Amino acid sequence: MKKIVLAAACFALLNAGAHAEGCLKGAAVGGVVGHVAGHHAVIGGAAGCAIGSHRAKKKEEEKEKKEREQHARQQQEQRQQSAEQPSSQ
């Protein structure tokens, strides 16, 4: 059973790609919690990796959304400023 869980954790680490930071942080915390909760550090690490990756992905999506909104606001302000300026012909 431990080999299967360890293989799954390794697979998750390899497929994490951009969200490896979240996986590593989550795995560290999950491993400690799993160990303290009943010597299930590997299972806790795998669960922590999944949760950490999910949180890192959500955080990245929120950051991108804020950047898009800010960019849209800047473009709208530029359009308003150009519309307010009289045309010199």
Side-chain angles (χ1 to χ4, degrees):
M1 178 69 180
K2 286 185 181 180
K3 289 182 182 181
I4 294 171
V5 174
L6 183 60
C10 290
F11 182 72
L13 276 173
L14 292 175
N15 288 330
H19 304 292
E21 181 178 338
C23 178
L24 293 176
K25 287 180 181 179
V29 173
V32 171
V33 171
H35 175 72
V36 172
H39 302 288
H40 298 293
V42 176
I43 295 171
C49 175
I51 293 168
S53 293
H54 178 70
R55 286 188 169 186
K57 183 178 178 183
K58 288 286 189 183
K59 187 175 181 180
E60 183 67 28
E61 288 174 355
E62 288 175 8
K63 181 181 174 185
E64 290 174 0
K65 182 180 176 183
K66 285 181 182 180
E67 288 174 356
R68 284 192 307 266
E69 289 173 353
Q70 183 180 12
H71 182 69
R73 264 194 309 273
Q74 288 174 346
Q75 286 182 335
Q76 186 177 13
E77 288 173 2
Q78 288 176 351
R79 286 186 204 124
Q80 287 175 350
Q81 287 176 355
S82 64
E84 291 173 357
Q85 295 176 352
S87 302
S88 58
Q89 293 179 356

